[in-house]
């Protein structure tokens, strides 16, 4: 298989103004990811994992440097173009889930599909399959407030994967899951990675996730401290 670079960053720097000073969350990150990677960003809390995922996902702009995602320089995109890149190609699992409280589980998972050109039947089939992946078919009509933390996390995973995106950006996807659920979901992700060449990029502290990774990038103080290929 030929290598195809899907994501690359050049000398990324991210600074946040805090109390009149600049706090540097990312320093000089140059890294690239090929189609079909199954890669994790690891490193201590505060090392910059979420910040890097958000920039790669065109949710945030770098202070300096650039991120090229599926051939597009994210900083040059309008809001509308960035939204389109996300809705057509990227799936997000947010550290804080970001479910919509007034919608049911079904509606939350269906949401990304409403932006695509799919019939109601196609959407329903895709939503039910995604809920089966995460073991939540019995909660299809529940609302987020009626779910446990781990169940909410699983809804957010189903929502990220329902459209079978080119890239899944998964921020601590198993933080609230028990071992069985974590392994089931990771096996589904490995399957999608294998069958559809879906690229996965995780931010994680979880050894259960790390066991499945083929590449592990360690961030420390906003810098890449290590970049390892793992044999599994
Ligand atoms: N909006 C913001 N304003 C100011 N500082 C921020 C902001 N977002 C993140 N930071 C700071 O940037 C640093 C990196 O944060 P980030 O969320 O990327 O860490 P992380 O590696 O994902 O940590 P965790 O493992 O706890 O999720 C932290 O020190 C954080 O306090
Ligand atoms: Mg984080």
């Amino acid at each position: 298989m030929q290598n195809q670079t899907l994501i690359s960053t050049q000398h990324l720097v991210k600074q946040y103004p805090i109390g009149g000073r600049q706090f540097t969350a990312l320093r000089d990150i140059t890294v690239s990811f090929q189609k079909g990677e199954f890669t994790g960003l690891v490193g201590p809390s505060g090392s910059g994992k979420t910040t890097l995922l958000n920039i790669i996902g065109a949710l945030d702009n770098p202070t300096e440097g650039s991120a090229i995602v599926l051939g597009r320089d994210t900083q040059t995109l309008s809001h509308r173009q960035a939204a389109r890149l996300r809705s057509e190609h990227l799936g997000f699992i947010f550290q804080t889930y970001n479910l919509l409280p007034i919608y049911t589980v079904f509606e939350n998972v269906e949401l990304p599909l409403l932006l695509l050109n799919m019939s109601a039947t196609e959407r329903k089939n895709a939503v039910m399959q995604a809920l089966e992946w995460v073991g939540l078919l019995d909660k299809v009509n529940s609302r987020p407030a009626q779910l446990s933390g781990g169940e909410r996390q699983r809804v957010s995973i189903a929502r990220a994967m329902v459209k079978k995106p080119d890239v899944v950006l998964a921020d601590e996807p198993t933080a609230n899951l028990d071992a069985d659920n974590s392994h089931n979901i990771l096996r589904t992700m490995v399957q999608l990675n294998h069958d559809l060449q879906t690229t996965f990029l995780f931010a994680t502290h979880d050894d259960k996730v790390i066991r499945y990774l083929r590449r592990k990038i360690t961030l420390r103080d906003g810098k890449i401290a290590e970049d390892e290929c793992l044999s599994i």
Side-chain angles (χ1 to χ4, degrees):
M1 188 184 51
Q2 242 183 341
N3 276 356
Q4 185 188 343
T5 302
L6 282 197
I7 298 163
S8 64
T9 72
Q10 289 291 327
H11 304 293
L12 271 191
V13 173
K14 181 66 181 180
Q15 292 181 320
Y16 294 109
I18 305 182
R21 303 176 65 179
Q22 295 291 332
F23 173 82
T24 304
L26 292 178
R27 319 164 184 262
D28 199 22
I29 303 276
T30 297
V31 66
S32 59
F33 303 97
Q34 311 298 312
K35 183 176 169 71
E37 281 201 26
F38 206 81
T39 294
L41 304 172
V42 304
S45 178
S47 57
K49 304 181 295 294
T50 297
T51 307
L52 181 55
L53 281 190
N54 286 345
I55 292 174
I56 287 172
L59 289 166
D60 201 357
N61 274 319
T63 311
E64 288 170 32
S66 60
I68 312 288
V69 179
L70 292 120
R72 298 151 183 91
D73 182 340
T74 58
Q75 279 181 103
T76 65
L77 300 177
S78 64
H79 275 299
R80 206 193 172 94
Q81 289 168 324
R84 187 152 171 201
L85 169 68
R86 289 194 298 267
S87 71
E88 289 180 357
H89 299 288
L90 309 180
F92 281 90
I93 302 168
F94 293 98
Q95 196 164 10
T96 49
Y97 316 154
N98 295 4
L99 300 179
L100 294 175
I102 59 160
Y103 289 154
T104 64
V105 166
F106 184 95
E107 290 162 343
N108 267 285
V109 176
E110 188 187 30
L111 213 59
L113 303 180
L114 296 175
L115 302 167
L116 306 176
N117 191 13
M118 287 174 79
S119 72
T121 313
E122 286 170 328
R123 288 200 304 271
K124 181 169 181 200
N125 291 340
V127 171
M128 297 314 263
Q129 177 177 56
L131 289 175
E132 190 184 345
W133 286 336
V134 300
L136 275 184
L137 281 175
D138 56 333
K139 301 287 184 186
V140 62
N141 293 316
S142 301
R143 285 176 211 279
Q146 299 167 316
L147 302 176
S148 71
E151 287 167 346
R152 285 178 212 177
Q153 184 150 41
R154 284 186 279 152
V155 177
S156 80
I157 292 170
R159 183 186 55 189
M161 302 208 299
V162 68
K163 66 186 176 198
K164 298 181 176 164
D166 294 308
V167 181
V168 175
L169 301 170
D171 202 351
E172 305 284 1
T174 54
N176 277 305
L177 301 187
D178 57 65
D180 278 356
N181 271 305
S182 298
H183 287 300
N184 282 341
I185 283 164
L186 281 156
R187 275 194 290 268
T188 300
M189 290 171 163
V190 167
Q191 194 75 43
L192 277 182
N193 172 257
H194 179 266
D195 295 350
L196 304 175
Q197 288 277 295
T198 308
T199 303
F200 282 84
L201 184 55
F202 297 89
T204 189
H205 296 281
D206 185 352
D207 284 337
K208 295 191 291 300
V209 176
I210 292 169
R211 272 178 43 193
Y212 285 83
L213 298 178
R214 291 200 298 270
R215 179 182 176 195
K216 184 171 88 169
I217 295 173
T218 308
L219 293 182
R220 237 171 252 132
D221 290 333
K223 279 198 294 231
I224 294 182
E226 230 175 330
D227 187 345
E228 304 162 80
C229 273
L230 306 177
S231 49
I232 51 166

